[in-house]
Amino acid sequence: MTILGQDIKYGKTILNLDIAKLHTGTPLDVPVIIERAKKPGPTILLTAGIHGNEINGIEIVRQIIQKKYNVPQQGTIICMPVVNVFGFINQERKFPDGRDLNRVFPGGKKGSLAARFAHAIMTQIIPHIDYCIDYHTGGGQRFNYSQVRIDSTYPKTLELAKVFGSKFIVNSPILEKSFRKSVSLLGKPIILFEGGKTLDLDRIVTHRAIEGTLSVLHHLGCRTQKEELKSIARIPQHYITQSTWVRSPKSGMYRSFTKLGTFVEKKQILGSVSDPFGGKEKSVKAPNAGYIICQNHAPVVNQGDALFHISEEVQTL
Ligand SMILES: [Zn+2]
């Protein structure tokens, strides 16, 4: 195995994906932490921080490395805890050139800075891997209940999502030019973990994601983790094949009356929006019965802002 021109020996190797320099001459180094076992097996890639302000994902991969859960008994585990290092420094979603890294894949050698970086990942890292877990959070103040997103047109991803064991599996068609699309087109199963919101660390979310990851690593034969997996409570999983957003009926101050992750009935009042001058409050009602898998934490919202993500069609697995 040769990655970034370096022969990967057994044990730990730390490489830097060095693509370009910023205007200050500061190199754009992205650490790639590789652990390889003597016994052959699959290669799993764990990526976080493609969006530099999605801190939960970075924390999940950091803990996996710190607890040595990335040391396989078979195969190789590659961790990239902070893919968009400069976005992370600036606490921003985007790349330093203003682009969303997750919308420029597979990139190109002569494209924008983000596109060149995407190209480097696709040519230097992805050819070596068999599976990928990519960690994200909701955008802005939208807080996602821990969930795994898959595309049902890639059946292997549903199998991995079941093994991950999160309460919700969400069918989410793959966006064009996303990292997930480029990896999927190569026939390599990739699942997305989504939990929490940007610029926030949530211990319940990170804990759930680490448990799920351990379960997948165990399933793929990378690590036997009987001890760590013992404490994982197996819960019923809900596979959401269709979902919709409940949007704010007006601009104003917003309060939610709904607990994230719970089942609500049709027309149930989920929250309310009102002007700041003591005028009439407007209720936000559930358009159908379903599970609330994301809710906005913003105190002030605009008309049409996404307040709740609710399931429409669900299969209980
Ligand atoms: Zn993201």
Side-chain angles (χ1 to χ4, degrees), residues 81-138:
V82 194
V83 173
N84 179 1
V85 163
F86 279 85
F88 183 53
I89 291 170
N90 297 325
Q91 303 282 283
E92 277 176 6
R93 176 182 176 91
K94 292 187 172 167
F95 222 58
D97 64 356
R99 287 182 170 79
D100 183 336
L101 180 61
N102 210 18
R103 303 288 183 271
V104 298
F105 275 84
K109 240 181 177 170
K110 292 186 174 168
S112 64
L113 185 65
R116 288 174 197 218
F117 185 73
H119 177 74
I121 293 179
M122 290 310 296
T123 52
Q124 307 286 328
I125 307 287
I126 302 304
H128 304 288
I129 68 151
D130 301 302
Y131 301 90
C132 178
I133 308 176
D134 189 26
Y135 303 87
H136 287 261
T137 74

Side-chain angles (χ1 to χ4, degrees), residues 138-153:
Q141 293 272 26
R142 291 183 295 278
F143 193 108
N144 276 323
Y145 193 95
S146 293
Q147 57 192 263
V148 172
R149 298 216 178 146
I150 61 150
D151 185 320
S152 59
T153 51

